[in-house]
């Protein structure tokens, strides 16, 4: 939203009524002019702090949404907080006292009947709110990080400068706030602040709130849809008001109703397709996920006029789509979009630790999800600071699974006793979270990207609380499935969750995903899991670990690991040593780390995609990083992809060919929404001398959408400890998928008897140590750059002119002057292998502004690649 009082004028012009506006109708976002200070320093009362004459000299400039900690970091009070262990040096007692947040805003001369409201979408955790020397709310009622609060301040505001002061208190133990679990350290301020956007809303006497669009789609034909539109009208005046509520969908659907509102009353107005046949739509533009189709969006415009005078207006975008869930024959929950089953495949999203995500940062994260061929993000606890993230997912065709955090479910994170149903036990706690639930549902329900509401993470809510959640959904959003827990729990209220959260969260070998049939393997819907650490590249490590601590491993490394059982790299490093050989240097360690990252992520995603319909969903834990770390990330805090990023992208190709570690077969997978054309599968088994010992050239016909076919088993592997599998898939003679595996005569074997909640250990390890003997290869490289709009494009042609495989070729786009990696970056393929004589052309791009006026350059590296930059 822009800083304009007159957004509504454009809206009014789009609707039929020729309103001559007497009242200002506007939505002003208060974000840039804030200042903050501790109440231990600014000890004056709210009446004085919110007065125009108050001297705020020495206060810190701040941005809202934001936290106290993010403002102090921005003001250089604390520097390099993510480097080494600097976070530990920040005194936590500085945040024991409440912190003032103060801003000013201008208003025009109000007309008679002008209504001015303040809307707070998120304050963490309690707040006293003052405006122009008057207290409008107190901390005994303004509590809850996920609550939304709206105040009519028409009688307090004045023409010209108005002063708003909010005294924010951090959450205490046992209060259901926002926060992290074992992902990273908790910020010292516990996310205290105004962490979501604040609005000044100006309307006439009648205001529009809670607009809601419900859509129903004929999922058999997709040729017929109906739309139900509702909104709440509130008359803030002491007089009866008669007027007209009008709406427009697109350019040709108009709806209108005469309304009479008594003084100080509210009325829900519903436009049903039964009463308004124009809301029955033939041949609708349907919203799909990006893998199944196009995410079509409609726009609704609403306005209320009293006579010919506009009093309020709202606009929103929505998608025509239907979401439902089902239980498959094995008892596992899956989801349908517009009647079609789809495999949920995504990652666990987290906001940055200081809750200071920029629109550019969120845009990069969502575009990365599209680039990785994912279709979902799961939001646990952090749901974004405004609608921007949801708007992006609506536009890009990504689903969002939104729910509460496990932070409330464990004593050590919640700071209070948590039993079988978590820590939300008292009447006050239940009231806060129930009201928070309602607020979040109303805030987000018009986004087609949101496909499921999740009441709990690791545990179920108390039965009486779950019933409250259900009644809230029945009233405010009956359009989506709900899930009692992201774990495989059984609720006395709603029955089995029929999803699973049985691990692993630490390193497991690729075969795990194919052979495990009890825990995290490729069956059912695994709501959070993954192969553990994803160590980033050296460029990012240098930003978090001091030079003298980079090698050998130091306590600084472990500080940037996760927490609890994950405050180490033991299982990951042990697998590296046993499978790939001991690491002798930092460079050697990092090349082997990226090999594990790619191999592990590719196998997990491929297994779930090949095992449909038994597999219904997979959420990689985690998707991104809240701070610089070594664990659970497809790309790191600095937006630099790990090799796991491209392992996920490879596995999610629209048409894909992959190796099945469990059955020793090859799978051909159709991840699209339509039946595949005839596909040519080319399979070669090579020994370490690159001699072809077996090959198959076969045609796969009529592979259905969202399905896979398994080709006959491969023959006995060639002699020796190691062998190669080269896979290619073509359509109409054009390559659509290429995949390469290094495989071992000695398979990885699991010690299933020792499985726990986060790992299944190994008994034996695959032997891939011969890879250490591969000589250096210097591929022939040709690079071209061009510009198109706001992007810089790179076209890289590579040929392996050597006699050995060029393994794990890695491309980076860099600034030629600085040598720094440019992010976000989008390569068609990366971390791939070229056999002798093979060539490939890979396209990539970045946003030109991120080059900061430098010429671009491409750097080449890899397992056995002589580094090149040109």
């Amino acid at each position: 939203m822009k800083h304009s009082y007159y957004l509504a004028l454009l809206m009014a012009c789009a609707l039929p009524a020729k309103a001559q506006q007497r009242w200002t109708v506007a939505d002003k976002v208060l974000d840039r002019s804030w200042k903050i200070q501790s109440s231990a320093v600014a000890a004056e009362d709210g009446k004085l702090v919110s007065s125009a004459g108050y001297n705020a000299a020495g206060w810190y400039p701040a941005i809202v949404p934001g936290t106290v900690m993010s403002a102090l970091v921005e003001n250089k009070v604390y520097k390099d907080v993510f480097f080494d262990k600097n976070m530990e040096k920040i005194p936590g007692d500085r945040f024991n006292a409440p912190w003032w947040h103060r801003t000013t805003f201008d208003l025009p001369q109000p007309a008679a009947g002008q209504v001015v409201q303040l809307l707070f979408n998120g304050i963490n955790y309690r707040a006293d709110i003052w405006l122009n020397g008057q207290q409008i709310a107190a901390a005994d009622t303004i509590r809850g990080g996920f609550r939304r609060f709206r105040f009519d301040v028409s009688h307090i505001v004045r023409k010209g400068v108005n002063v708003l002061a909010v005294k924010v208190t951090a959450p205490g133990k046992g209060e259901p706030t926002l926060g992290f679990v074992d992902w990273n350290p908790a910020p010292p301020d516990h996310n205290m602040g105004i962490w979501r956007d604040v609005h000044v809303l100006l309307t006439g006497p009648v205001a529009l709130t809670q607009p809601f669009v419900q859509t129903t789609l004929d999922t058999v034909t997709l040729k017929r849809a109906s739309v139900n539109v509702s909104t709440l009208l509130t008359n803030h005046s002491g007089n009866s008001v008669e007027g007209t509520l009008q709406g427009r969908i697109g350019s040709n659907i108009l709806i209108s109703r005469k309304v009479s509102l008594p003084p100080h009353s509210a009325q829900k107005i519903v436009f049903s397709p039964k009463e308004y046949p124009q809301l029955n739509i033939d041949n609708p533009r349907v919203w799909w996920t990006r893998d199944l189709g196009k995410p079509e969006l409609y726009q609704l415009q609403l306005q209320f006029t009293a006579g010919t005078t506009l009093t309020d207006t709202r606009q929103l975008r929505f998608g025509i789509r239907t979401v439902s869930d089902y239980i498959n024959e094995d008892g596992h929950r899956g989801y349908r979009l517009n009647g079609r089953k789809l495999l949920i495949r995504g990652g666990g999203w987290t906001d940055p630790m200081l809750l200071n995500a920029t629109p550019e940062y969120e845009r990069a994260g969502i575009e990365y999800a599209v680039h990785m061929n994912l279709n979902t993000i799961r939001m646990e606890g952090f749901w974004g600071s405004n609608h921007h993230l949801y708007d992006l997912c609506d536009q890009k065709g990504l689903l969002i699974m939104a729910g509460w955090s496990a932070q409330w479910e464990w004593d050590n994170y919640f700071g209070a006793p948590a039993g079988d149903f978590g820590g939300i036990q008292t009447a006050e706690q239940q009231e806060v979270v129930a009201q928070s639930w309602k607020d979040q549902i109303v805030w987000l329900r018009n986004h087609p990207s949101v496909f499921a509401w999740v009441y709990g993470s690791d545990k179920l809510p108390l039965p009486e609380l779950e019933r409250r959640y259900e009644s809230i959904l029945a009233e405010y959003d009956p359009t989506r499935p709900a899930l009692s827990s992201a774990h495989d729990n059984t609720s006395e209220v709603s029955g089995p969750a029929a999803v699973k959260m049985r691990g692993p969260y630490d390193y497991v070998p690729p075969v795990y995903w194919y052979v495990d049939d009890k825990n995290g393997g490729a069956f059912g819907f695994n709501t959070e899991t993954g192969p553990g650490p994803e160590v980033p590249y050296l460029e990012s490590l240098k930003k978090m670990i001091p030079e003298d601590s980079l090698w050998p491993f130091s306590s600084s490394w472990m500080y940037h690991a996760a927490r609890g059982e994950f405050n180490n790299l033991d299982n990951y490093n042990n697998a590296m040593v046993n499978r790939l050989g001991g690491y002798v240097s930092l460079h050697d360690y990092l090349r082997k780390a990226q090999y594990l990252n790619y191999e592990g992520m590719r196998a997990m995603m491929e297994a779930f995609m090949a095992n449909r319909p038994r597999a219904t969903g997979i959420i990689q834990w985690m998707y991104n990083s809240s701070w610089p770390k070594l664990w659970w990330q497809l790309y790191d805090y600095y937006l630099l992809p790990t090799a796991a990023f491209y392992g996920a992208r490879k596995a999610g190709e629209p048409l894909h060919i992959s190796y099945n570690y469990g059955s020793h077969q090859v799978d051909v997978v159709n991840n699209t929404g339509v039946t595949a054309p005839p596909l040519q599968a080319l399979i070669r088994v090579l020994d370490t001398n690159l001699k072809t010992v077996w090959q198959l050239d076969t045609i796969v016909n009529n592979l259905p959408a969202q399905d896979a076919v398994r080709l006959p088993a491969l023959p006995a592997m060639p002699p020796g400890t190691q062998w190669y599998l080269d896979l290619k898939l073509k359509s109409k003679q054009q390559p659509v998928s290429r995949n390469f595996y290094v495989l071992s005569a000695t398979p990885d074997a699991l010690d299933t008897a020792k499985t726990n909640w986060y790992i299944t250990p190994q008994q034996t390890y695959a032997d891939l140590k011969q890879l250490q003997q591969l000589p250096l290869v210097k591929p022939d490289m040709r690079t071209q750059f061009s510009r198109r709009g706001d992007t810089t494009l790179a076209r890289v042609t590579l040929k392996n002119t050597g006699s050995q495989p060029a393994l794990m070729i890695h491309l980076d786009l860099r600034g030629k002057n600085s040598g720094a990696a440019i992010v976000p970056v989008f390569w068609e393929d990366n971390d791939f292998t070229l056999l002798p004589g093979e060539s490939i052309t890979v396209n990539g791009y970045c946003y030109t502004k991120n080059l900061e006026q430098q010429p671009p350059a491409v750097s080449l590296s890899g397992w056995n690649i002589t580094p090149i930059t040109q």
Side-chain angles (χ1 to χ4, degrees), residues 148-165:
R148 301 172 70 222
F149 299 101
R150 183 187 295 261
F151 307 101
D152 186 343
V153 294
S154 308
H155 59 295
I156 302 175
V157 294
R158 56 197 175 212
K159 178 185 176 182
V161 177
N162 292 264
V163 183
L164 174 64

Side-chain angles (χ1 to χ4, degrees), residues 301-363:
Q301 300 171 313
L302 288 171
Q303 71 175 28
F304 185 81
T305 55
T308 59
T309 306
L310 182 71
T311 75
D312 200 7
T313 182
R314 286 289 180 270
Q315 57 184 325
L316 61 88
R317 288 186 306 180
F318 68 93
I320 292 178
R321 62 102 177 96
T322 296
V323 178
S324 61
D325 58 359
Y326 67 93
I327 304 295
N328 69 14
E329 61 185 18
D330 295 321
H332 304 301
R333 190 178 302 275
Y335 290 88
R336 290 187 178 95
L337 177 63
N338 303 325
R340 298 187 185 182
K341 293 179 181 178
L342 78 163
L343 178 75
I344 298 296
R345 57 184 197 270
W349 176 279
T350 179
D351 289 357
M353 184 192 292
L354 302 184
L355 306 188
N356 57 349
T358 63
E360 292 76 19
Y361 191 88
E362 290 182 340
R363 177 188 178 194

Side-chain angles (χ1 to χ4, degrees), residues 33 138 178 216 286 309-310 315 365-366 395 405 520 680 723 728 761 820 851:
S33 58
L178 48 147
T216 303
V286 179
T309 306
L310 182 71
Q315 57 184 325
I366 296 306
Q395 296 163 22
S405 173
Q680 181 184 13
W723 55 289
K728 292 183 172 64
L851 284 163

Side-chain angles (χ1 to χ4, degrees), residues 781 783 812 814-816 819 857-860 866-870:
M781 177 175 170
T783 304
D812 276 312
R814 299 186 176 275
K816 194 165 189 177
V858 171
S859 68
L860 189 72
T866 300
I868 306 170
T869 300
Q870 65 178 38

